[in-house]
Amino acid sequence: MKDTVKNVLFISDGTGLTAEVLGETLLTQFPDIEFKRSIVPYVRNTKEAYSAVEKIKKLENKSSTSPLVFSTLVDDELREIIASSGVKVFDLFATFISPLESILDCQSVHKKGRMHGIRDYDLYHYRVNALNYALNHDDGLSHRSLENADVIIIGVSRCGKTPTALYLAMQFSLKAANYPLIEEDLAKEKLPDLLRPFKNKIIGLSIKQEQLYRIRQERRPDSPYASLKQCKKEIQQALGIFEVEDIPYLDTSSISIEEIATRIVQKANLHRPGY
Amino acid sequence: MKDTVKNVLFISDGTGLTAEVLGETLLTQFPDIEFKRSIVPYVRNTKEAYSAVEKIKKLENKSSTSPLVFSTLVDDELREIIASSGVKVFDLFATFISPLESILDCQSVHKKGRMHGIRDYDLYHYRVNALNYALNHDDGLSHRSLENADVIIIGVSRCGKTPTALYLAMQFSLKAANYPLIEEDLAKEKLPDLLRPFKNKIIGLSIKQEQLYRIRQERRPDSPYASLKQCKKEIQQALGIFEVEDIPYLDTSSISIEEIATRIVQKANLHRPGY
């Protein structure tokens, strides 16, 4: 069976994002198998469910093996239609909802598309405001209202500050400013004065020199900015500042944006709205 | 049992994001219960697992009922430690991994923190490049290299273009430009000339007038820009352009950023890397 491509279908009555996360998390445990993914989102009536079954049948005919199906469908009728295809369905609701009902001593509402679905006006604005904050305070753009930041991310150019700040806003509705340590800051071997009042909410990012070199070379090939010597010097100076000023920091070289962001939440002991 | 606050714990050997999505998706089905959430991420050794058990015990002592635990721990030993707390654990791996192993006819690697964990250099750069693209092509900032966009989002000011473009980049590594239809564009009652060559990858966003009014009032209270009359006029003109030019569009008023983005992927038939 190994070395053949396995088809995977994510079926959902909403965006499909939950089905995908559920399935992908499990599939990462089978690194030797090549998976080919399709998503069937917004399955909200019997017609769409039968059309999903068609897709399953088509994939079954094309391949020597049945596709894997991960489903987060809530509606019993729609789930039964998918089950009628005869393939094994990894079904989040069928599996977990009744033990959850019994432990909560409460019937579930069985409503479709609730996760990532209906917009909660306040939450939406909290999130969009956090995104606007991150955009307005990207790359040291504005030093105004730094007192409103939940966290200020500092580090040398191209160490991952911007994606991290945007992720913190998008995923956790946290206001993250980011400030680049440029040569002038680094030469002073201490925190820039304008950041000092906010020292207790500063997190440093570092990166391995080879990684920074690679990223900067892609951006400005063969420039002094991208030289290995310059990368090494800046990183050492930044680390020096983190040490002298006792600023918590983490190395972004081999971790994902999600991990950088969640490590920051942990390190800075940030309180996400609702948590 | 209803109307009391129920504690929920998400336990993970990684970021905790998967445990959270799994749990939150199920909890949305119980809208009458108030849940209080905590996350215990990066549980990677027995010491941290015992410390998670301590947290469970503390929550148990504070409340009249046991906390709900959602876990994505992969390691058998760590899972057993959590189970030893005696509370009901909703366990993604224990539930799904062995049926998956048998259907794939393949042992899983049982490695911790694989999802959202190790950075894949190429994927990381694909994603960061998409984010940079979205930032550089936010709000009509640059008209250069629009030919490289996967999708171009148009609509009136404050209808949700920027968050959507950033989400498409962050989540799906898709390059999304966004272009605001300003009064000058709207008055022409047709697509701006500079966008015409890219018409086949344009998606329109619309919004209900009361919603736009509310958002603009927050931004610039009592300005002509934020008046209900102006909101109504701009929305009608934008819809007129979508109709005349046969541009697919969607209304963002009551749906989440995730839903706007996934609807766009569906409408524009976008191919996400790896899908």
Side-chain angles (χ1 to χ4, degrees):
Chain A
M1 274 262 312
K2 282 195 196 178
D3 299 319
T4 61
V5 177
K6 187 83 185 167
N7 286 303
V8 182
L9 219 64
F10 302 108
I11 301 180
S12 165
D13 48 47
T15 60
L17 292 166
T18 300
E20 220 187 304
V21 168
L22 164 75
E24 292 290 359
T25 300
L26 293 164
L27 298 182
T28 57
Q29 295 296 320
F30 300 91
D32 293 338
I33 301 179
E34 192 185 333
F35 297 102
K36 193 174 177 315
R37 288 115 168 133
S38 323
I39 305 179
V40 189
Y42 303 112
V43 173
R44 294 192 172 169
N45 54 46
T46 55
K47 193 181 154 221
E48 285 160 336
Y50 281 115
S51 145
V53 171
E54 290 281 298
K55 268 189 199 167
I56 293 172
K57 296 277 179 206
K58 238 183 233 170
L59 288 173
E60 211 162 17
N61 291 336
K62 269 205 289 192
S63 166
S64 56
T65 66
S66 296
L68 289 179
V69 176
F70 293 94
S71 160
T72 55
L73 291 179
V74 174
D75 186 275
D76 293 332
E77 192 186 359
L78 303 183
R79 284 220 315 271
E80 275 159 28
I81 293 171
I82 303 298
S84 74
S85 69
V87 301
K88 167 82 185 161
V89 179
F90 293 84
D91 185 325
L92 187 69
F93 272 85
T95 308
F96 288 119
I97 208 76
S98 54
L100 201 48
E101 284 179 342
S102 83
I103 213 167
L104 289 171
D105 192 18
C106 175
Q107 284 288 306
S108 70
V109 290
H110 266 64
K111 278 210 186 124
K112 290 169 232 183
R114 291 187 69 84
M115 185 76 177
H116 305 130
I118 309 127
R119 172 192 286 196
D120 174 310
Y121 189 84
D122 291 335
L123 263 184
Y124 179 83
H125 279 273
Y126 215 74
R127 194 176 184 192
V128 169
N129 286 340
L131 276 171
N132 285 333
Y133 189 91
L135 291 173
N136 292 331
H137 294 81
D138 183 37
D139 210 28
L141 257 184
S142 166
H143 309 140
R144 283 195 311 168
S145 67
L146 280 179
E147 66 276 12
N148 295 331
D150 292 307
V151 63
I152 300 169
I153 303 167
I154 67 172
V156 303
S157 164
R158 296 286 127 179
C159 68
K161 300 182 297 300
T162 298
T164 305
L166 290 173
Y167 189 88
L168 286 166
M170 184 71 83
Q171 187 72 21
F172 302 138
S173 299
L174 289 169
K175 288 183 178 158
N178 82 78
Y179 181 92
L181 295 172
I182 55 171
E183 283 202 274
E184 200 184 305
D185 302 314
L186 292 165
K188 288 186 184 145
E189 295 179 1
K190 61 187 183 66
L191 205 59
D193 290 340
L194 72 97
L195 295 180
R196 190 159 300 279
F198 314 109
K199 194 178 156 181
N200 62 343
K201 53 184 173 185
I202 293 177
I203 292 274
L205 293 188
S206 189
I207 186 168
K208 291 200 175 58
Q209 60 186 52
E210 298 77 17
Q211 182 101 338
L212 185 61
Y213 169 74
R214 199 168 158 185
I215 295 169
R216 288 189 174 181
Q217 282 293 337
E218 267 176 39
R219 193 168 164 82
R220 291 198 221 149
D222 303 323
S223 64
Y225 160 85
S227 71
L228 192 57
K229 194 180 152 200
Q230 181 68 18
C231 292
K232 189 176 169 180
K233 185 180 151 201
E234 288 188 26
I235 292 166
Q236 280 175 342
Q237 287 175 317
L239 284 172
I241 293 175
F242 301 157
E243 298 286 348
V244 162
E245 302 275 6
D246 203 19
I247 288 167
Y249 67 91
L250 66 130
D251 189 301
T252 65
S253 309
S254 56
I255 58 179
S256 68
I257 299 172
E258 282 82 354
E259 181 157 354
I260 303 170
T262 50
R263 291 277 188 193
I264 286 177
V265 170
Q266 199 180 33
K267 259 183 200 292
N269 199 18
L270 299 177
H271 291 284
R272 294 164 43 187
Y275 276 75
Chain B
M1 275 265 308
K2 281 194 197 181
D3 296 322
T4 62
V5 176
K6 187 80 185 168
N7 287 302
V8 182
L9 219 64
F10 303 108
I11 301 180
S12 165
D13 48 45
T15 60
L17 292 167
T18 300
E20 221 187 303
V21 168
L22 163 74
E24 292 289 359
T25 299
L26 293 164
L27 298 183
T28 57
Q29 295 295 320
F30 300 91
D32 294 339
I33 301 180
E34 192 186 330
F35 297 102
K36 193 173 178 312
R37 289 115 167 133
S38 322
I39 305 179
V40 189
Y42 303 113
V43 173
R44 293 195 171 165
N45 54 47
T46 54
K47 195 181 152 219
E48 286 160 336
Y50 281 116
S51 145
V53 171
E54 290 281 300
K55 269 189 199 167
I56 294 172
K57 296 279 178 203
K58 242 184 230 169
L59 289 173
E60 212 162 17
N61 291 337
K62 270 205 288 192
S63 165
S64 56
T65 66
S66 296
L68 289 179
V69 176
F70 294 94
S71 159
T72 55
L73 291 178
V74 173
D75 186 275
D76 293 332
E77 192 187 358
L78 303 184
R79 286 219 315 271
E80 276 158 27
I81 292 171
I82 303 299
S84 74
S85 69
V87 300
K88 167 82 183 161
V89 179
F90 293 84
D91 185 324
L92 186 69
F93 272 85
T95 308
F96 289 120
I97 207 78
S98 55
L100 201 48
E101 284 178 342
S102 83
I103 214 168
L104 290 170
D105 192 17
C106 175
Q107 284 289 305
S108 71
V109 291
H110 267 65
K111 277 210 187 126
K112 289 169 235 185
R114 291 187 69 85
M115 185 76 176
H116 305 130
I118 308 129
R119 170 192 286 194
D120 174 310
Y121 190 85
D122 291 334
L123 264 184
Y124 179 83
H125 279 273
Y126 216 72
R127 195 177 183 192
V128 169
N129 286 339
L131 277 170
N132 285 332
Y133 189 91
L135 292 173
N136 292 331
H137 295 80
D138 183 35
D139 210 28
L141 257 184
S142 165
H143 310 141
R144 282 195 311 168
S145 67
L146 280 179
E147 67 277 10
N148 295 331
D150 292 307
V151 63
I152 300 169
I153 303 166
I154 68 172
V156 303
S157 166
R158 295 284 128 180
C159 68
K161 300 181 298 299
T162 298
T164 305
L166 290 173
Y167 190 88
L168 286 166
M170 185 71 82
Q171 187 72 21
F172 302 139
S173 300
L174 289 169
K175 288 182 178 160
N178 81 79
Y179 181 92
L181 295 172
I182 56 171
E183 284 202 273
E184 200 185 304
D185 301 315
L186 292 165
K188 288 186 186 148
E189 295 178 2
K190 61 186 183 66
L191 204 59
D193 290 340
L194 72 96
L195 294 180
R196 190 159 301 280
F198 315 109
K199 193 177 156 181
N200 62 344
K201 53 184 175 186
I202 293 178
I203 293 273
L205 294 188
S206 190
I207 185 167
K208 292 199 175 57
Q209 60 188 50
E210 299 76 15
Q211 181 100 338
L212 185 61
Y213 170 74
R214 197 169 159 186
I215 296 169
R216 287 189 175 182
Q217 282 293 337
E218 267 176 41
R219 194 170 163 81
R220 292 197 219 149
D222 304 322
S223 64
Y225 160 85
S227 71
L228 192 57
K229 193 180 153 202
Q230 180 69 16
C231 292
K232 190 175 171 180
K233 185 180 150 201
E234 287 188 26
I235 290 166
Q236 280 175 341
Q237 287 176 317
L239 284 172
I241 293 176
F242 302 158
E243 297 286 348
V244 162
E245 301 275 6
D246 203 17
I247 289 167
Y249 66 91
L250 65 130
D251 188 301
T252 65
S253 309
S254 57
I255 59 178
S256 67
I257 299 171
E258 282 82 354
E259 182 157 353
I260 304 170
T262 51
R263 291 276 187 194
I264 286 177
V265 170
Q266 199 180 34
K267 259 183 199 291
N269 200 18
L270 299 177
H271 291 284
R272 294 164 45 187
Y275 277 74

